[in-house]
Structure formats: C-alpha cells, structure tokens
Amino acid sequence: MAIRNIRTEGDEILRKKCREITEMTPKLATLIDDMIETMYEANGVGLAGPQVGVLKRVVVIDVGDGPIVLINPVILETSGEQTGGEGCLSVPGKTATVTRPNYVKVKAFDRDMKEYTMEGIELLARAVCHECDHLDGILYVDKAESPVMDTDDYYEQHQDDNEE
Ligand code: ZN
C-alpha cells in the first residue's frame, strides 16, 4: 500500500465527472487499498477517486466503524436534514456550513463487485453525500451556506450552534 498525493481545490481533475467501474482489477484493488491508507493518514472520514487523481466512481469512507468501499454508488433515498460544519481533504484546513440529508440509502458494489445497499444517518449520511458529489465534480464549497474559513475560526464562531 502507498500514500497517494491528495489533489486540492483548483486542480481541474476535481471538477470532472468520473467514469463507472466495470470490473475489479489488481490495479483497482491497489487503488482502493491506497485510498484507505491515504484517508487514514490524512485523518479524513472519506476520500473519492478524483481526490487522488483517478476519474473512477470509487469512494472510501470510515466514520469510525471501519472502512466502507463504494463502487459506482447511487443514492436511492434520502430523508430529513442536518446542518453543520463540513470539510474536505481537498480544501485543507477549511470548514463551512452545509445542509445535507440526515439519512441516506445507497446502492453500490463492494470490492468483489457484489452489489449491496447500505443505510447511514448523521455523519455517515453526510460523508456519503459529500463523496458521491466528488464523483460528479462537485465540492462542498459549492454548497456552503457560510463563508469557507479556517476550521479553528469556524468552530470558535459556531460552538454554540448545537446547544439549543
Ligand atoms: Zn471531499
């Protein structure tokens, strides 16, 4: 496994639409391992193909319950909403407010190319939506409802948000 270089905002690859994956190959399996390792190394909760320069519909997520691999993910259902701070490894050190569904149901293929469905709430729902957006060239800053600012400053200004 290897740590991959994470592309940052301004890199055109982050704005491109990714292609579907049709089969698992040794190269793709290595990419997935590398993405997981790169995500952990950067202390992220998710990483999508274009963030490591690969225009393929693959996402890895770990919100603390172990790594999830989503190949060709399709969001089938959403409900509710959550509004809160969101960041991205491709926009390092920054945070802004984004509203996302509080629940998602997603269909994807696992690393054996077996189709499965998964449900998530709260942070996992946010991560799924955020990472799926990456596959279509969308960054969270496009959806920000507050200025995109340094993470420390953001949480200093918003520390009371969840207390009422
Ligand atoms: Zn991101």
Side-chain angles (χ1 to χ4, degrees), residues 46 51 87-90 130-131 134 139-140:
Q51 292 183 276
C88 178
L89 294 177
S90 293
H130 176 115
E131 300 308 330
H134 272 301
L139 297 179
Y140 85 95

PDB file of all heavy atoms in Angstrom, residues 46 51 87-90 130-131 134 139-140, ligand 1:
ATOM      1  N   GLY A  46     -13.468  10.346   4.598  1.00  0.00           N
ATOM      2  CA  GLY A  46     -13.835   9.856   3.281  1.00  0.00           C
ATOM      3  C   GLY A  46     -12.873  10.361   2.228  1.00  0.00           C
ATOM      4  O   GLY A  46     -12.191  11.371   2.422  1.00  0.00           O
ATOM      5  N   GLN A  51      -9.926  12.723  -5.964  1.00  0.00           N
ATOM      6  CA  GLN A  51      -9.054  13.375  -4.982  1.00  0.00           C
ATOM      7  C   GLN A  51      -7.634  12.816  -5.018  1.00  0.00           C
ATOM      8  O   GLN A  51      -6.704  13.453  -4.532  1.00  0.00           O
ATOM      9  CB  GLN A  51      -9.633  13.233  -3.565  1.00  0.00           C
ATOM     10  CG  GLN A  51     -10.918  14.027  -3.384  1.00  0.00           C
ATOM     11  CD  GLN A  51     -11.401  13.907  -1.953  1.00  0.00           C
ATOM     12  OE1 GLN A  51     -12.064  12.953  -1.600  1.00  0.00           O
ATOM     13  NE2 GLN A  51     -11.054  14.876  -1.129  1.00  0.00           N
ATOM     14  N   GLY A  87     -15.940  19.715   6.034  1.00  0.00           N
ATOM     15  CA  GLY A  87     -14.622  19.995   5.462  1.00  0.00           C
ATOM     16  C   GLY A  87     -14.292  18.964   4.415  1.00  0.00           C
ATOM     17  O   GLY A  87     -15.095  18.066   4.129  1.00  0.00           O
ATOM     18  N   CYS A  88     -13.106  19.083   3.818  1.00  0.00           N
ATOM     19  CA  CYS A  88     -12.720  18.197   2.724  1.00  0.00           C
ATOM     20  C   CYS A  88     -11.198  18.151   2.662  1.00  0.00           C
ATOM     21  O   CYS A  88     -10.556  19.186   2.792  1.00  0.00           O
ATOM     22  CB  CYS A  88     -13.288  18.755   1.414  1.00  0.00           C
ATOM     23  SG  CYS A  88     -12.829  17.797  -0.038  1.00  0.00           S
ATOM     24  N   LEU A  89     -10.652  16.970   2.460  1.00  0.00           N
ATOM     25  CA  LEU A  89      -9.194  16.839   2.379  1.00  0.00           C
ATOM     26  C   LEU A  89      -8.622  17.596   1.183  1.00  0.00           C
ATOM     27  O   LEU A  89      -7.446  17.920   1.163  1.00  0.00           O
ATOM     28  CB  LEU A  89      -8.795  15.359   2.303  1.00  0.00           C
ATOM     29  CG  LEU A  89      -9.095  14.523   3.558  1.00  0.00           C
ATOM     30  CD1 LEU A  89      -8.729  13.071   3.328  1.00  0.00           C
ATOM     31  CD2 LEU A  89      -8.374  15.072   4.782  1.00  0.00           C
ATOM     32  N   SER A  90      -9.486  17.916   0.209  1.00  0.00           N
ATOM     33  CA  SER A  90      -9.032  18.682  -0.952  1.00  0.00           C
ATOM     34  C   SER A  90      -9.141  20.190  -0.736  1.00  0.00           C
ATOM     35  O   SER A  90      -8.760  20.966  -1.615  1.00  0.00           O
ATOM     36  CB  SER A  90      -9.826  18.280  -2.201  1.00  0.00           C
ATOM     37  OG  SER A  90      -9.517  16.939  -2.552  1.00  0.00           O
ATOM     38  N   HIS A 130     -21.293  13.785   0.442  1.00  0.00           N
ATOM     39  CA  HIS A 130     -20.098  14.555   0.108  1.00  0.00           C
ATOM     40  C   HIS A 130     -19.222  13.799  -0.899  1.00  0.00           C
ATOM     41  O   HIS A 130     -18.781  14.368  -1.908  1.00  0.00           O
ATOM     42  CB  HIS A 130     -19.325  14.840   1.409  1.00  0.00           C
ATOM     43  CG  HIS A 130     -18.015  15.550   1.228  1.00  0.00           C
ATOM     44  ND1 HIS A 130     -17.796  16.827   1.718  1.00  0.00           N
ATOM     45  CD2 HIS A 130     -16.857  15.163   0.641  1.00  0.00           C
ATOM     46  CE1 HIS A 130     -16.544  17.181   1.406  1.00  0.00           C
ATOM     47  NE2 HIS A 130     -15.955  16.196   0.772  1.00  0.00           N
ATOM     48  N   GLU A 131     -18.995  12.517  -0.631  1.00  0.00           N
ATOM     49  CA  GLU A 131     -18.111  11.739  -1.501  1.00  0.00           C
ATOM     50  C   GLU A 131     -18.756  11.464  -2.859  1.00  0.00           C
ATOM     51  O   GLU A 131     -18.075  11.485  -3.884  1.00  0.00           O
ATOM     52  CB  GLU A 131     -17.689  10.422  -0.826  1.00  0.00           C
ATOM     53  CG  GLU A 131     -16.929  10.583   0.488  1.00  0.00           C
ATOM     54  CD  GLU A 131     -15.734  11.529   0.423  1.00  0.00           C
ATOM     55  OE1 GLU A 131     -15.117  11.653  -0.656  1.00  0.00           O
ATOM     56  OE2 GLU A 131     -15.425  12.165   1.448  1.00  0.00           O
ATOM     57  N   HIS A 134     -18.247  14.313  -5.142  1.00  0.00           N
ATOM     58  CA  HIS A 134     -16.915  14.349  -5.766  1.00  0.00           C
ATOM     59  C   HIS A 134     -16.902  13.632  -7.112  1.00  0.00           C
ATOM     60  O   HIS A 134     -16.185  14.023  -8.025  1.00  0.00           O
ATOM     61  CB  HIS A 134     -15.880  13.662  -4.863  1.00  0.00           C
ATOM     62  CG  HIS A 134     -15.241  14.560  -3.841  1.00  0.00           C
ATOM     63  ND1 HIS A 134     -14.526  15.686  -4.184  1.00  0.00           N
ATOM     64  CD2 HIS A 134     -15.195  14.490  -2.485  1.00  0.00           C
ATOM     65  CE1 HIS A 134     -14.057  16.260  -3.074  1.00  0.00           C
ATOM     66  NE2 HIS A 134     -14.460  15.562  -2.027  1.00  0.00           N
ATOM     67  N   LEU A 139     -17.809  20.079  -5.270  1.00  0.00           N
ATOM     68  CA  LEU A 139     -17.132  20.227  -3.980  1.00  0.00           C
ATOM     69  C   LEU A 139     -18.089  20.859  -2.974  1.00  0.00           C
ATOM     70  O   LEU A 139     -19.003  21.599  -3.357  1.00  0.00           O
ATOM     71  CB  LEU A 139     -15.895  21.115  -4.121  1.00  0.00           C
ATOM     72  CG  LEU A 139     -14.779  20.597  -5.039  1.00  0.00           C
ATOM     73  CD1 LEU A 139     -13.627  21.598  -5.091  1.00  0.00           C
ATOM     74  CD2 LEU A 139     -14.274  19.236  -4.581  1.00  0.00           C
ATOM     75  N   TYR A 140     -17.855  20.593  -1.695  1.00  0.00           N
ATOM     76  CA  TYR A 140     -18.780  21.117  -0.684  1.00  0.00           C
ATOM     77  C   TYR A 140     -18.820  22.642  -0.682  1.00  0.00           C
ATOM     78  O   TYR A 140     -19.834  23.232  -0.304  1.00  0.00           O
ATOM     79  CB  TYR A 140     -18.436  20.562   0.715  1.00  0.00           C
ATOM     80  CG  TYR A 140     -17.371  21.337   1.453  1.00  0.00           C
ATOM     81  CD1 TYR A 140     -17.720  22.336   2.373  1.00  0.00           C
ATOM     82  CD2 TYR A 140     -16.031  21.106   1.225  1.00  0.00           C
ATOM     83  CE1 TYR A 140     -16.750  23.062   3.037  1.00  0.00           C
ATOM     84  CE2 TYR A 140     -15.046  21.828   1.884  1.00  0.00           C
ATOM     85  CZ  TYR A 140     -15.413  22.811   2.788  1.00  0.00           C
ATOM     86  OH  TYR A 140     -14.457  23.551   3.442  1.00  0.00           O
TER      87      TYR A 140
HETATM   88 ZN    ZN B   1     -14.146  15.977  -0.091  1.00  0.00          ZN
END
